[in-house]
């Protein structure tokens, strides 16, 4: 049995899955066990309620909710749990994901859904890791290293661009 901390990644449709593969990979990079499910707030509302009500008892510590169009999934899951819910608005309609973004971020007071960018799967995983890092020292250390690597990469790019610009 895995002793890794668990984060649920719930998507409204299997059509969202491809965009969420980076999120699953990023969770695994931080040694988090992803609990991946397809649950629709509209088509399987009873399952959405059941999953959210049981999530905490099943050891899940953060829920990621990815959905497109009239994206109620995050709000519906958040209605049935006190776990933090992070919404990932999926660009899956003629409105370029703005519909999904507003459906998640414009939650009425009392039931927040912390929302990342449209198709922001990586950031949802990083934010979940940052929440867990309050409790798990190994994740905090990995996040420190992750930030350091990003900074090093930017410094390398900076040096390359400075040289290229000088040579013009
Ligand atoms: C949402 O509607 C899903 O999250 C998906 O982004 C969108 C389209 O779903 P499908 O019709 O492809 O199942 O509920």
């Amino acid at each position: 049995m895995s002793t890794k901390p668990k984060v649920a990644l719930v998507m409204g449709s299997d059509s969202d899955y491809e965009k969420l593969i980076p999120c699953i990979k990023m969770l695994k990079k931080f040694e988090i066990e992803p609990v991946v499910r397809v649950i629709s707030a509209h088509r399987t509302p009873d399952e959405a309620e059941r999953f959210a009500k049981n999530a905490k008892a099943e050891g899940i510590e953060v829920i990621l909710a990815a959905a497109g169009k009239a994206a109620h999934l995050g709000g519906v899951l958040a209605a049935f749990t006190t776990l933090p819910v992070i919404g990932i608005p999926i660009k899956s309609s003629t409105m370029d994901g703005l519909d999904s973004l507003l459906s998640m971020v414009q939650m009425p007071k009392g039931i927040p859904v912390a929302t990342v960018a449209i198709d922001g799967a990586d950031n949802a995983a990083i934010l979940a890791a940052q929440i867990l890092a309050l409790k798990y020292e190994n994740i905090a250390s990995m996040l420190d290293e992750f930030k350091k690597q990003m900074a090093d990469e930017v410094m390398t790019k900076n040096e390359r661009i400075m040289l290229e610009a000088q040579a013009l």
Side-chain angles (χ1 to χ4, degrees):
M1 209 183 78
S2 167
T3 54
K4 291 177 182 171
K6 291 184 196 171
V7 167
L9 171 60
V10 184
M11 64 199 82
S13 169
D14 62 337
S15 63
D16 300 321
Y17 176 64
E18 287 295 320
K19 291 188 170 174
L20 298 170
I21 290 173
C23 177
I24 296 168
K25 288 184 176 168
M26 187 68 81
L27 289 171
K28 289 187 173 180
K29 178 184 165 80
F30 289 114
E31 295 179 19
I32 294 165
E33 183 185 333
V35 177
V36 182
R37 298 284 184 274
V38 177
I39 301 174
S40 167
H42 313 282
R43 294 164 179 158
T44 57
D46 292 341
E47 178 57 13
E49 177 180 349
R50 191 205 65 76
F51 184 85
K53 280 183 173 169
N54 292 326
K56 199 170 186 177
E58 286 173 10
I60 290 164
E61 299 189 61
V62 179
I63 297 177
L64 309 182
K69 299 184 175 172
H72 298 133
L73 183 60
V76 168
L77 295 175
F80 292 110
T81 182
T82 55
L83 291 174
V85 175
I86 301 172
I88 309 170
I90 299 291
K91 180 175 162 178
S92 61
S93 80
T94 50
M95 297 182 78
D96 282 344
L98 186 60
D99 45 355
S100 325
L101 173 65
L102 295 179
S103 300
M104 289 182 178
V105 81
Q106 286 288 75
M107 282 297 291
K109 69 180 171 188
I111 311 290
V113 173
T115 305
V116 296
I118 297 167
D119 290 344
D122 286 275
N123 268 2
I126 295 164
L127 185 52
Q130 288 178 327
I131 293 169
L132 292 179
L134 293 169
K135 179 174 166 189
Y136 297 98
E137 191 50 49
N138 66 319
I139 299 178
S141 301
M142 285 185 276
L143 282 164
D144 284 341
E145 183 56 29
F146 178 71
K147 267 202 187 318
K148 189 178 166 308
Q149 272 177 17
M150 270 193 305
D152 288 348
E153 281 168 22
V154 174
M155 292 304 284
T156 303
K157 289 174 186 172
N158 175 49
E159 280 161 27
R160 179 174 58 79
I161 291 293
M162 281 170 59
L163 288 173
E164 280 188 25
Q166 261 172 15
L168 287 177

